[in-house]
Short mmCIF file of all heavy atoms in Angstrom, two decimals:
data_model
loop_
_atom_site.label_atom_id
_atom_site.label_comp_id
_atom_site.label_asym_id
_atom_site.label_seq_id
_atom_site.Cartn_x
_atom_site.Cartn_y
_atom_site.Cartn_z
N GLU A 720 295.45 173.10 151.08
CA GLU A 720 295.55 171.84 151.83
C GLU A 720 294.92 170.73 151.33
O GLU A 720 295.36 169.55 151.33
CB GLU A 720 295.27 172.17 153.32
CG GLU A 720 296.06 173.10 154.04
CD GLU A 720 297.50 172.37 154.42
OE1 GLU A 720 297.58 171.23 154.36
OE2 GLU A 720 298.44 173.23 154.65
N SER A 721 293.55 170.95 150.98
CA SER A 721 292.78 169.72 150.62
C SER A 721 291.63 169.99 149.48
O SER A 721 291.06 169.04 149.22
CB SER A 721 291.99 169.44 151.89
OG SER A 721 290.99 170.41 152.22
N ARG A 722 291.62 171.22 149.01
CA ARG A 722 290.42 171.48 148.13
C ARG A 722 289.08 171.27 148.70
O ARG A 722 288.17 170.84 148.00
CB ARG A 722 290.60 170.77 146.73
CG ARG A 722 291.92 171.18 146.03
CD ARG A 722 291.74 170.80 144.54
NE ARG A 722 292.74 171.27 143.64
CZ ARG A 722 293.20 172.45 143.42
NH1 ARG A 722 292.74 173.46 144.17
NH2 ARG A 722 294.12 172.75 142.51
N PHE A 723 289.01 171.50 150.02
CA PHE A 723 287.77 171.27 150.74
C PHE A 723 287.34 169.81 150.80
O PHE A 723 286.20 169.49 150.90
CB PHE A 723 286.69 172.19 150.40
CG PHE A 723 286.93 173.66 150.69
CD1 PHE A 723 287.62 174.48 149.97
CD2 PHE A 723 286.44 174.14 151.97
CE1 PHE A 723 287.76 175.75 150.33
CE2 PHE A 723 286.73 175.35 152.41
CZ PHE A 723 287.45 176.27 151.60
N ASP A 724 288.23 168.89 150.59
CA ASP A 724 287.96 167.43 150.50
C ASP A 724 288.03 166.90 152.00
O ASP A 724 289.18 166.79 152.51
CB ASP A 724 288.88 166.78 149.55
CG ASP A 724 288.46 165.32 149.38
OD1 ASP A 724 287.77 164.79 150.29
OD2 ASP A 724 289.04 164.73 148.42
N HIS A 725 286.92 166.54 152.59
CA HIS A 725 286.97 166.02 153.89
C HIS A 725 287.68 164.58 153.95
O HIS A 725 287.79 163.97 155.06
CB HIS A 725 285.60 166.00 154.55
CG HIS A 725 284.62 165.06 153.89
ND1 HIS A 725 284.00 165.50 152.59
CD2 HIS A 725 284.06 163.91 154.12
CE1 HIS A 725 283.16 164.47 152.26
NE2 HIS A 725 283.19 163.59 153.19
N LEU A 726 287.76 163.91 152.86
CA LEU A 726 288.51 162.64 152.82
C LEU A 726 289.97 162.68 152.43
O LEU A 726 290.59 161.67 152.23
CB LEU A 726 287.74 161.69 151.87
CG LEU A 726 286.23 161.40 152.11
CD1 LEU A 726 285.60 160.65 151.07
CD2 LEU A 726 285.96 160.74 153.51
N ALA A 727 290.46 163.95 152.38
CA ALA A 727 291.83 164.15 151.87
C ALA A 727 292.77 163.48 152.97
O ALA A 727 292.64 163.79 154.08
CB ALA A 727 292.19 165.64 151.67
N ASP A 728 293.73 162.68 152.54
CA ASP A 728 294.53 162.01 153.45
C ASP A 728 295.96 162.15 152.97
O ASP A 728 296.28 161.96 151.81
CB ASP A 728 294.29 160.57 153.56
CG ASP A 728 294.88 159.75 154.59
OD1 ASP A 728 295.50 160.33 155.45
OD2 ASP A 728 294.77 158.52 154.60
N ASN A 729 296.82 162.68 153.87
CA ASN A 729 298.24 162.90 153.54
C ASN A 729 299.05 161.68 153.82
O ASN A 729 299.28 161.29 154.99
CB ASN A 729 298.84 164.20 154.33
CG ASN A 729 300.24 164.52 153.97
OD1 ASN A 729 300.89 163.69 153.42
ND2 ASN A 729 300.52 165.75 154.15
N PRO A 730 299.54 161.05 152.81
CA PRO A 730 300.45 159.77 153.10
C PRO A 730 301.65 160.01 153.76
O PRO A 730 302.31 159.04 154.19
CB PRO A 730 300.56 159.22 151.67
CG PRO A 730 300.46 160.37 150.72
CD PRO A 730 299.46 161.35 151.39
N LYS A 731 302.17 161.25 153.78
CA LYS A 731 303.51 161.57 154.38
C LYS A 731 303.43 161.94 155.82
O LYS A 731 304.44 162.16 156.49
CB LYS A 731 304.15 162.70 153.64
CG LYS A 731 304.51 162.21 152.15
CD LYS A 731 305.17 163.32 151.37
CE LYS A 731 305.45 162.89 149.92
NZ LYS A 731 305.98 163.95 149.24
N SER A 732 302.08 162.12 156.27
CA SER A 732 302.00 162.51 157.76
C SER A 732 300.67 161.97 158.23
O SER A 732 300.02 161.17 157.68
CB SER A 732 302.04 164.08 157.87
OG SER A 732 300.79 164.64 157.44
N THR A 733 300.27 162.41 159.47
CA THR A 733 298.99 161.98 160.03
C THR A 733 297.89 163.02 159.70
O THR A 733 296.76 162.97 160.24
CB THR A 733 298.98 161.77 161.54
OG1 THR A 733 299.30 163.11 162.26
CG2 THR A 733 299.99 160.77 161.96
N ALA A 734 298.23 164.09 158.86
CA ALA A 734 297.22 165.07 158.45
C ALA A 734 296.12 164.52 157.67
O ALA A 734 296.28 163.67 156.91
CB ALA A 734 297.92 166.08 157.77
N TYR A 735 294.88 164.98 158.06
CA TYR A 735 293.71 164.35 157.30
C TYR A 735 292.57 165.51 157.32
O TYR A 735 292.51 166.30 158.13
CB TYR A 735 293.19 163.18 158.15
CG TYR A 735 292.00 162.46 157.59
CD1 TYR A 735 292.07 161.65 156.52
CD2 TYR A 735 290.76 162.68 158.18
CE1 TYR A 735 291.00 161.00 155.90
CE2 TYR A 735 289.54 162.08 157.55
CZ TYR A 735 289.67 161.22 156.51
OH TYR A 735 288.68 160.58 156.02
N GLY A 736 291.77 165.39 156.24
CA GLY A 736 290.52 166.31 156.12
C GLY A 736 290.79 167.63 155.53
O GLY A 736 291.87 167.90 154.87
N ILE A 737 289.79 168.45 155.68
CA ILE A 737 289.74 169.70 155.05
C ILE A 737 290.88 170.51 155.39
O ILE A 737 291.50 171.15 154.68
CB ILE A 737 288.40 170.45 155.35
CG1 ILE A 737 287.25 169.62 154.72
CG2 ILE A 737 288.38 171.92 154.90
CD1 ILE A 737 285.84 169.97 155.16
N GLY A 738 291.16 170.69 156.83
CA GLY A 738 292.15 171.47 157.30
C GLY A 738 293.52 170.85 157.33
O GLY A 738 294.52 171.43 157.83
N GLN A 739 293.55 169.58 157.04
CA GLN A 739 294.73 168.67 157.20
C GLN A 739 295.36 168.82 158.56
O GLN A 739 296.69 168.97 158.79
CB GLN A 739 295.82 169.10 156.13
CG GLN A 739 295.47 168.71 154.76
CD GLN A 739 295.41 167.07 154.60
OE1 GLN A 739 296.51 166.55 154.52
NE2 GLN A 739 294.34 166.64 154.51
N VAL A 740 294.52 168.70 159.54
CA VAL A 740 294.99 168.81 161.01
C VAL A 740 295.69 167.50 161.35
O VAL A 740 295.07 166.39 160.96
CB VAL A 740 293.71 169.01 161.95
CG1 VAL A 740 294.12 168.91 163.30
CG2 VAL A 740 293.00 170.42 161.52
N LEU A 741 296.77 167.55 162.00
CA LEU A 741 297.48 166.36 162.37
C LEU A 741 296.79 165.40 163.27
O LEU A 741 295.94 166.02 164.20
CB LEU A 741 298.79 166.73 162.97
CG LEU A 741 299.87 167.37 162.06
CD1 LEU A 741 301.10 167.81 162.88
CD2 LEU A 741 300.25 166.58 160.92
N SER A 742 296.70 164.16 162.99
CA SER A 742 296.04 163.20 163.97
C SER A 742 294.63 163.31 163.86
O SER A 742 293.85 162.87 164.75
CB SER A 742 296.61 163.17 165.43
OG SER A 742 297.95 162.89 165.28
N GLU A 743 294.00 164.01 162.92
CA GLU A 743 292.53 164.04 162.70
C GLU A 743 291.96 162.72 162.46
O GLU A 743 292.43 162.02 161.61
CB GLU A 743 292.16 165.00 161.57
CG GLU A 743 290.65 165.08 161.45
CD GLU A 743 289.87 165.80 162.57
OE1 GLU A 743 290.18 166.86 162.89
OE2 GLU A 743 289.07 164.92 163.13
N LYS A 744 290.95 162.37 163.14
CA LYS A 744 290.31 161.02 163.02
C LYS A 744 288.97 161.07 162.46
O LYS A 744 288.49 160.14 161.78
CB LYS A 744 290.19 160.36 164.35
CG LYS A 744 291.55 160.08 165.05
CD LYS A 744 292.53 159.15 164.45
CE LYS A 744 293.64 158.84 165.23
NZ LYS A 744 294.87 158.66 164.50
N SER A 745 288.27 162.20 162.52
CA SER A 745 286.83 162.37 162.12
C SER A 745 286.82 162.49 160.66
O SER A 745 287.54 163.26 160.05
CB SER A 745 286.23 163.51 162.95
OG SER A 745 284.92 163.72 162.32
N SER A 746 285.87 161.86 160.00
CA SER A 746 285.48 162.15 158.62
C SER A 746 284.33 163.10 158.43
O SER A 746 283.93 163.28 157.35
CB SER A 746 285.23 160.84 157.95
OG SER A 746 284.24 160.14 158.57
N ASP A 747 283.92 163.67 159.57
CA ASP A 747 282.77 164.67 159.49
C ASP A 747 283.32 166.05 159.14
O ASP A 747 284.08 166.50 159.97
CB ASP A 747 282.23 164.59 160.95
CG ASP A 747 280.80 165.56 160.99
OD1 ASP A 747 280.96 166.51 160.24
OD2 ASP A 747 280.09 165.38 161.80
N PRO A 748 282.90 166.61 158.09
CA PRO A 748 283.50 167.81 157.58
C PRO A 748 283.25 168.98 158.69
O PRO A 748 284.14 169.81 158.90
CB PRO A 748 282.68 168.23 156.38
CG PRO A 748 282.03 167.00 155.99
CD PRO A 748 281.96 166.00 157.10
N ALA A 749 282.20 168.98 159.33
CA ALA A 749 281.93 170.05 160.34
C ALA A 749 282.91 169.97 161.54
O ALA A 749 283.48 171.02 161.87
CB ALA A 749 280.42 169.93 160.90
N ILE A 750 283.28 168.83 162.03
CA ILE A 750 284.22 168.74 163.08
C ILE A 750 285.63 169.06 162.62
O ILE A 750 286.28 169.65 163.19
CB ILE A 750 284.13 167.18 163.60
CG1 ILE A 750 282.82 166.92 164.37
CG2 ILE A 750 285.42 166.93 164.51
CD1 ILE A 750 282.62 165.64 164.78
N GLN A 751 285.97 168.60 161.31
CA GLN A 751 287.22 169.07 160.80
C GLN A 751 287.47 170.46 160.73
O GLN A 751 288.47 171.00 161.06
CB GLN A 751 287.48 168.23 159.39
CG GLN A 751 287.48 166.91 159.38
CD GLN A 751 287.57 166.31 157.95
OE1 GLN A 751 287.59 166.98 157.02
NE2 GLN A 751 287.53 164.97 157.94
N ILE A 752 286.41 171.23 160.15
CA ILE A 752 286.52 172.62 160.03
C ILE A 752 286.66 173.34 161.37
O ILE A 752 287.47 174.16 161.56
CB ILE A 752 285.22 173.10 159.38
CG1 ILE A 752 285.35 172.63 157.85
CG2 ILE A 752 285.17 174.67 159.38
CD1 ILE A 752 283.87 172.88 157.17
N LEU A 753 285.88 172.87 162.44
CA LEU A 753 285.91 173.44 163.69
C LEU A 753 287.28 173.23 164.36
O LEU A 753 287.85 174.18 165.06
CB LEU A 753 284.74 172.97 164.59
CG LEU A 753 283.43 173.39 164.11
CD1 LEU A 753 282.32 172.63 164.89
CD2 LEU A 753 283.19 174.90 164.16
N ARG A 754 287.81 172.01 164.21
CA ARG A 754 289.15 171.71 164.79
C ARG A 754 290.22 172.61 164.11
O ARG A 754 291.17 173.07 164.77
CB ARG A 754 289.45 170.19 164.78
CG ARG A 754 288.63 169.41 165.74
CD ARG A 754 289.14 168.09 165.77
NE ARG A 754 288.32 167.31 166.81
CZ ARG A 754 287.90 166.10 166.55
NH1 ARG A 754 288.35 165.45 165.56
NH2 ARG A 754 287.21 165.49 167.49
N ALA A 755 290.08 172.81 162.80
CA ALA A 755 291.13 173.58 162.01
C ALA A 755 290.96 174.98 162.54
O ALA A 755 291.97 175.73 162.80
CB ALA A 755 290.83 173.55 160.55
N TYR A 756 289.75 175.55 162.75
CA TYR A 756 289.55 176.94 163.29
C TYR A 756 290.07 177.06 164.65
O TYR A 756 290.67 178.08 164.96
CB TYR A 756 288.05 177.29 163.19
CG TYR A 756 287.56 177.48 161.72
CD1 TYR A 756 286.32 177.77 161.55
CD2 TYR A 756 288.42 177.57 160.65
CE1 TYR A 756 285.75 178.02 160.30
CE2 TYR A 756 287.96 177.84 159.44
CZ TYR A 756 286.62 177.97 159.21
OH TYR A 756 286.07 178.22 158.03
N GLN A 757 289.90 176.04 165.52
CA GLN A 757 290.40 176.10 166.83
C GLN A 757 291.89 176.29 166.80
O GLN A 757 292.50 177.03 167.49
CB GLN A 757 290.01 174.88 167.67
CG GLN A 757 288.52 174.91 168.08
CD GLN A 757 288.10 173.64 168.70
OE1 GLN A 757 288.80 172.59 168.50
NE2 GLN A 757 287.12 173.55 169.58
N TYR A 758 292.56 175.50 165.98
CA TYR A 758 293.95 175.44 165.84
C TYR A 758 294.45 176.88 165.36
O TYR A 758 295.36 177.43 165.84
CB TYR A 758 294.46 174.39 164.82
CG TYR A 758 295.94 174.37 164.62
CD1 TYR A 758 296.86 174.03 165.56
CD2 TYR A 758 296.50 174.94 163.40
CE1 TYR A 758 298.21 174.04 165.30
CE2 TYR A 758 297.75 174.97 163.10
CZ TYR A 758 298.67 174.50 164.07
OH TYR A 758 300.04 174.70 163.80
N ILE A 759 293.83 177.38 164.28
CA ILE A 759 294.24 178.71 163.75
C ILE A 759 294.08 179.81 164.77
O ILE A 759 294.93 180.60 164.96
CB ILE A 759 293.43 179.12 162.44
CG1 ILE A 759 293.83 178.07 161.19
CG2 ILE A 759 293.49 180.44 162.06
CD1 ILE A 759 292.84 178.09 160.13
N ASN A 760 292.94 179.75 165.53
CA ASN A 760 292.68 180.73 166.52
C ASN A 760 293.74 180.74 167.51
O ASN A 760 294.16 181.69 168.02
CB ASN A 760 291.17 180.49 167.11
CG ASN A 760 290.74 181.69 167.92
OD1 ASN A 760 290.76 182.80 167.44
ND2 ASN A 760 290.16 181.33 169.07
N HIS A 761 294.10 179.52 168.01
CA HIS A 761 295.09 179.37 169.00
C HIS A 761 296.53 179.65 168.60
O HIS A 761 297.31 180.44 169.22
CB HIS A 761 295.06 177.98 169.60
CG HIS A 761 296.19 177.65 170.64
ND1 HIS A 761 296.09 178.06 172.02
CD2 HIS A 761 297.26 176.95 170.60
CE1 HIS A 761 297.22 177.73 172.51
NE2 HIS A 761 297.96 176.99 171.72
N ARG A 762 296.88 178.99 167.51
CA ARG A 762 298.26 179.23 167.05
C ARG A 762 298.67 180.52 166.39
O ARG A 762 299.72 180.94 166.41
CB ARG A 762 298.56 177.93 165.96
CG ARG A 762 299.87 178.07 165.23
CD ARG A 762 300.95 177.49 166.08
NE ARG A 762 302.15 177.16 165.40
CZ ARG A 762 303.10 178.13 165.06
NH1 ARG A 762 302.85 179.36 165.36
NH2 ARG A 762 304.17 177.81 164.49
N TYR A 763 297.56 181.07 165.69
CA TYR A 763 297.93 182.31 164.99
C TYR A 763 297.23 183.49 165.56
O TYR A 763 296.73 184.44 164.87
CB TYR A 763 297.60 182.12 163.58
CG TYR A 763 298.39 181.12 162.87
CD1 TYR A 763 297.98 179.76 162.77
CD2 TYR A 763 299.82 181.30 162.47
CE1 TYR A 763 298.92 178.77 162.21
CE2 TYR A 763 300.63 180.35 161.95
CZ TYR A 763 300.09 179.10 161.82
OH TYR A 763 300.94 178.14 161.28
N ASN A 764 296.82 183.45 166.84
CA ASN A 764 296.09 184.57 167.56
C ASN A 764 294.93 184.99 166.86
O ASN A 764 294.69 186.25 166.71
CB ASN A 764 297.10 185.72 167.82
CG ASN A 764 298.29 185.18 168.70
OD1 ASN A 764 298.20 184.55 169.64
ND2 ASN A 764 299.46 185.70 168.29
N GLY A 765 294.09 184.08 166.30
CA GLY A 765 292.85 184.52 165.66
C GLY A 765 293.01 185.00 164.34
O GLY A 765 292.06 185.67 163.80
N SER A 766 294.11 184.87 163.68
CA SER A 766 294.39 185.47 162.27
C SER A 766 294.47 184.45 161.17
O SER A 766 295.67 183.83 161.04
CB SER A 766 295.56 186.41 162.40
OG SER A 766 295.90 186.80 161.06
N PRO A 767 293.59 184.07 160.45
CA PRO A 767 293.61 183.20 159.38
C PRO A 767 294.67 183.59 158.34
O PRO A 767 295.42 182.90 157.70
CB PRO A 767 292.32 183.13 158.65
CG PRO A 767 291.37 183.57 159.72
CD PRO A 767 292.08 184.59 160.65
#
Side-chain angles (χ1 to χ4, degrees):
E720 289 288 340
S721 68
R722 298 199 167 308
F723 287 92
D724 185 344
H725 63 282
L726 300 175
D728 193 8
N729 186 336
K731 296 179 183 177
S732 75
T733 61
Y735 182 76
I737 295 168
Q739 289 292 287
V740 175
L741 294 176
S742 300
E743 177 64 62
K744 302 287 187 225
S745 177
S746 59
D747 182 334
I750 291 172
Q751 293 176 4
I752 292 165
L753 292 173
R754 286 189 180 145
Y756 287 173
Q757 287 174 335
Y758 174 75
I759 291 168
N760 194 47
H761 174 75
R762 174 77 167 80
Y763 298 98
N764 299 316
S766 175

